[in-house]
Amino acid sequence: MSTITIQVPNRVFDVHQHVGTVVINAEDSGPADAVSSDADRRREIMHSFGMTQAALAPSLQYERPEGWRDTVRLNDAVASYARDAPADFPVTFGTTDLLSGTANCLAEIDRLAGELGMAGVMWHHRYQGMFLDDRRMHPLLDRAGERGLVVAVHLFADSAMEAPDALERLASAHPGLTLLTLDAFTAFAQIKALLSILERHPNIVLDTAGVFPLGRAIDQVVAAIGHERLVFGSDMYARPKMWNYPAGLLEVCTSDELNDAQREAILYGNAARLFSLDAG
């Protein structure tokens, strides 16, 4: 069997990891690990691929028998990672229960930025019961911007609730707010649709999670808008295992079109700038 060697830079920041479980099939639907064992397994996976740090966010398939209170508890659990292991997990995102009412969402955004000291707020609309550009999103984005939070949204290609045209409407309505857009590379047609949107809206930043394997999507985006608005993301869960190798890391490290400076920026420097981390 032949061996492929991939050279990974010394620092790799993963902007897209989830804490909790994702239900892929019945055998994966067990309870989440305790924070300590989850963190240890997460480090093991990260280090095996050369990832040095990560941003953590809740798994947004969490159950809500007590509504917004479940969201509060989940945000507390995610925040604990940054307190316990800031060198490994210096950035955390919280979320809000989008159907709990605007007042509850605004109060939780204030708590994320204040009491919990989080860097951002993340939503996955297909799992949270609201279209990406629902009018109720606007006051939440305004408040996140006022509190200095990075806003992250998902754009997984097989959901009409998370569509490129909806992302463009949000970007147009909030031009001063950076929208970290996750899973956007998950289909060929969506990548093509996004190219002109990215040219029109410099406040959209994309991660590399789930990049479609044909068409060299990352090279296409860099050719169209440059490398400065791309960041590495893996969409990693500690359990279950989501991939054999993080596709974005493979695409960036093996591209013939990217130079070393661009690779290092996508894999670390751009995220460091976004989250005000040490970029030295």
Side-chain angles (χ1 to χ4, degrees), residues 195 199 219-226:
L195 288 175
E199 291 174 350
D219 292 342
Q220 286 190 58
V221 171
V222 171
I225 65 166

Side-chain angles (χ1 to χ4, degrees), residues 203-214:
N203 57 327
I204 298 174
V205 173
L206 300 183
D207 92 328
T208 64
V211 58
F212 189 75
L214 300 179

Side-chain angles (χ1 to χ4, degrees), residues 16 124 153-157 181-186 190 207 209-210 235:
H16 188 176
H124 205 329
V153 297
H154 290 71
L155 206 74
F156 209 94
T181 305
L182 311 172
D183 296 328
F185 285 125
T186 41
Q190 176 158 292
D207 92 328
D235 198 4

Side-chain angles (χ1 to χ4, degrees), residues 1 11 13 30 58 62 76 92 97 106 109 119 152 162 165 179 188-189 203 211 221 243 261 271-272 275:
M1 180 181 294
R11 295 190 299 180
F13 190 99
Y62 67 100
D76 289 343
T92 53
D97 182 350
L106 293 175
I109 288 172
E162 301 168 351
D165 60 326
L179 295 174
F188 185 79
N203 57 327
V211 58
V221 171
W243 29 253
F275 297 115

